[in-house]
Amino acid sequence: MRSGNPALKESTFLDLGSGSIVRGADGAMTLNGTVNKTGFLLLLAVATATFAWSQVSTPSGIVGAAPYMWGGLIGGLVLALVTVFKKEWAPVTAPAYALVEGLFLGAISAMFNHLYEGIVMQAVLLTFGTLFAMLFAYRSGLVRATENFKMGVFAATGGIMLVYLASMVAGFFGVQVPMIHESGLIGIGFSLFVVVIAALNLVLDFDFIESGVEHGAPKYMEWYGAFGIMVTLVWLYVEFLRLLAKLQSRD
């Protein structure tokens, strides 16, 4: 397993029938191409996030955020699943995912900013600061994606997803998982742990993309690699919002 991110795993680059790399007729995946496409997806997400923010944020408060938030969340989930199972569609589905996910991010950011003014800019700076810090750590060799490292991060990521799933299911029955969503020391500690795991997933994502470039993966995998980075960045940003909200609610 190359990454804890379910969108980015080693078998993605392989033809499971023959065990050989599947190359497209339009060339091979490159690192610069993946970086450029990641930047493009970020611009798309920022554009729709700005639009959603402008629609729901008013001087008197937040109005009509639910359609943008839930529409973006559900639409993003559907497009993510389509992209994972139809990787060759990534040149179309990855930009669509970024556009739809931007609506979710804009709405939820406006809600958090209404409750805790200034929190969004802090979360944005922390997210991109973490991205570049992890990239530097990976490129300089300070952090190496060894097999044990990968398995540890993958196991921790799976555990977090199970906790969130259990919390969601319990919420349907009016039951709240105690402490981890609260602003106490345990809740803050849990959020810090999740942020660290999300950041470590970036290292594994870089390793996954570099592996695809080295093996000459098909050109459309640049879009798929950019999509995978977007998935992790969205997760990291939302977790920073949650952590900062918990910290500010203690003041």
Side-chain angles (χ1 to χ4, degrees):
M1 187 68 67
R2 281 279 177 184
S3 172
N5 184 338
L8 300 180
K9 55 183 184 295
E10 188 173 19
S11 62
T12 297
F13 290 127
L14 302 178
D15 178 351
L16 298 180
S18 63
S20 60
I21 292 293
V22 180
R23 291 181 175 84
D26 55 348
M29 179 182 185
T30 66
L31 186 58
N32 285 340
T34 307
V35 170
N36 292 337
K37 289 172 175 61
T38 302
F40 180 67
L41 295 186
L42 286 171
L43 288 175
L44 292 179
V46 169
T48 52
T50 302
F51 171 77
W53 178 299
S54 68
Q55 296 300 303
V56 306
S57 183
T58 68
S60 58
I62 301 300
V63 177
Y68 294 99
M69 187 172 69
W70 288 107
L73 183 63
I74 296 172
L77 177 60
V78 171
L79 286 166
L81 290 173
V82 171
T83 307
V84 168
F85 288 103
K86 285 290 185 179
K87 298 177 287 294
E88 62 274 18
W89 292 1
V92 175
T93 57
Y97 168 82
L99 288 170
V100 171
E101 201 68 20
L103 297 176
F104 162 72
L105 293 176
I108 197 173
S109 296
M111 293 175 64
F112 271 94
N113 196 69
H114 176 67
L115 295 172
Y116 309 101
E117 187 174 355
I119 194 176
V120 169
M121 183 55 63
Q122 296 174 26
V124 169
L125 292 175
L126 285 169
T127 299
F128 283 99
T130 301
L131 171 64
F132 291 117
M134 291 297 99
L135 181 59
F136 173 78
Y138 175 73
R139 298 299 295 175
S140 64
L142 292 176
V143 177
R144 298 185 181 278
T146 63
E147 292 304 316
N148 287 336
F149 183 87
K150 295 172 191 175
M151 290 303 298
V153 174
F154 176 70
T157 303
I160 291 168
M161 294 302 112
L162 287 176
V163 169
Y164 281 159
L165 180 61
S167 178
M168 185 182 303
V169 172
F172 290 137
F173 298 97
V175 178
Q176 297 296 323
V177 177
M179 295 181 286
I180 64 172
H181 298 302
E182 299 170 1
S183 58
L185 291 179
I186 294 178
I188 291 174
F190 177 76
S191 288
L192 281 170
F193 174 73
V194 175
V195 164
V196 170
I197 297 303
L200 293 178
N201 266 277
L202 284 172
V203 175
L204 302 190
D205 295 345
F206 299 147
D207 179 69
F208 167 88
I209 292 169
E210 189 172 64
S211 176
V213 172
E214 290 174 355
H215 289 86
K219 192 70 173 176
Y220 65 79
M221 291 302 294
E222 293 177 353
W223 286 105
Y224 192 81
F227 157 75
I229 292 290
M230 276 292 299
V231 171
T232 303
L233 287 178
V234 168
W235 179 30
L236 183 62
Y237 171 72
V238 172
E239 292 302 334
F240 269 129
L241 280 179
R242 288 165 51 83
L243 173 60
L244 292 170
K246 290 178 181 180
L247 291 172
Q248 291 200 23
S249 67
R250 292 174 60 87
D251 295 340

